[in-house]
Amino acid sequence: VGIHWEAFFMQQHKRLVVILETAIIAAFAMALTYIPHTTGVSAIELNYGLIPIAVLAMRRGAIPAAWAGFVWGILDLILRGLSGGSVLNPVQGFLEYPIAFTLVGLMGLTFASFQKAVRGGEKVKASGYAFAGIIVGTFAKYFIHFIAGVVFWGSYAPKGMNVWIYSLIVNGGSALFSTVLAIVVVGILLTVAPQLFIAKDGKSLSTKAA
Ligand code: 218
């Protein structure tokens, strides 16, 4: 008697939809890495894959975004990292793929505030929360790459250059450019396709808002 079957099945349905969206976003992020985005294994990169993860983080929160990041990281490790010479040893591979990519889920730290603002029609506030999330998640990923750069990629530094400076230029530059790109694209998406950020199956959705 304690089981509300309709509510139970609706919740299971929502869980399945979130899992499907997570898988689609991970695949989309991976597909985008086939667009040229860097000049070498130890160079500044423009990370387009952060854009779909940011959309998922604002739409579904940190946990789905972290799972999407994790799956994307495993795909990037297998499909590009190993063959492309970006996996130097098991410890570095573990740090720079599963760990660094999963941390992108931190973009969803501002999910609740973002949802409140976007559903309340507060566009400027919503963009502020989205941009803050993008900055946090991207910073977390590239902080791992920055540390890995110092520990594992020092031999790629130009002769005589301090490895901390080298890693800061490569990974700080990547973080900066990728963050700016994600902020610009998400800012545009918030204007042209705000429905991307508003799931129609949430508990918080009032019946009239649809
Ligand atoms: C200085 C330096 N060069 C290369 C790397 C490796 N790195 C950097 C950014 C992102 C990724 C993941 C694959 O795109 C990797 C492996 C580094 N950390 N530091």
Side-chain angles (χ1 to χ4, degrees):
V1 273
I3 299 174
H4 297 85
W5 288 103
E6 194 180 314
F8 174 76
F9 283 120
M10 275 179 60
Q11 191 200 332
Q12 291 304 101
H13 174 263
K14 183 189 167 183
R15 286 168 59 98
L16 178 58
V17 171
V18 173
I19 289 167
L20 291 173
E21 289 178 8
T22 302
I24 291 164
I25 292 292
F28 189 26
M30 188 62 218
L32 290 175
T33 68
Y34 290 97
I35 301 171
H37 63 283
T38 185
T39 56
V41 291
S42 188
I44 293 176
E45 64 177 13
L46 235 194
N47 199 333
Y48 319 117
L50 295 169
I51 298 162
I53 305 286
V55 173
L56 184 70
M58 289 308 119
R59 179 183 170 93
R60 295 298 189 179
I63 292 170
W67 275 110
F70 174 77
V71 172
W72 172 29
I74 297 297
L75 289 171
D76 197 54
L77 167 72
I78 294 169
L79 299 173
R80 299 182 68 254
L82 289 169
S83 52
S86 287
V87 180
L88 306 175
N89 62 62
V91 174
Q92 175 267 339
F94 185 68
L95 261 181
E96 294 208 82
Y97 289 90
I99 298 292
F101 282 72
T102 302
L103 282 175
V104 177
L106 290 173
M107 283 182 177
L109 237 46
T110 59
F111 162 71
S113 314
F114 171 85
Q115 284 295 314
K116 219 178 144 209
V118 81
R119 287 172 192 266
E122 297 178 282
K123 269 210 163 148
V124 175
K125 220 170 157 183
S127 347
Y129 285 123
F131 298 166
I134 289 168
I135 290 168
V136 171
T138 307
F139 178 86
K141 181 178 193 288
Y142 284 96
F143 184 72
I144 299 291
H145 296 310
F146 168 64
I147 298 299
V150 174
V151 177
F152 301 106
W153 294 88
S155 62
Y156 286 77
K159 235 181 142 90
M161 188 188 279
N162 180 288
V163 293
W164 290 89
I165 303 293
Y166 175 66
S167 190
L168 185 67
I169 293 169
V170 170
N171 296 299
S174 301
L176 184 67
F177 292 144
S178 301
T179 300
V180 170
L181 176 74
I183 283 177
V184 168
V185 175
V186 168
I188 293 169
L189 289 175
L190 266 167
T191 303
V192 302
Q195 67 279 10
L196 276 178
F197 301 87
I198 303 171
K200 297 296 187 192
D201 54 6
K203 266 184 290 189
S204 55
L205 181 74
S206 75
T207 44
K208 53 182 184 277

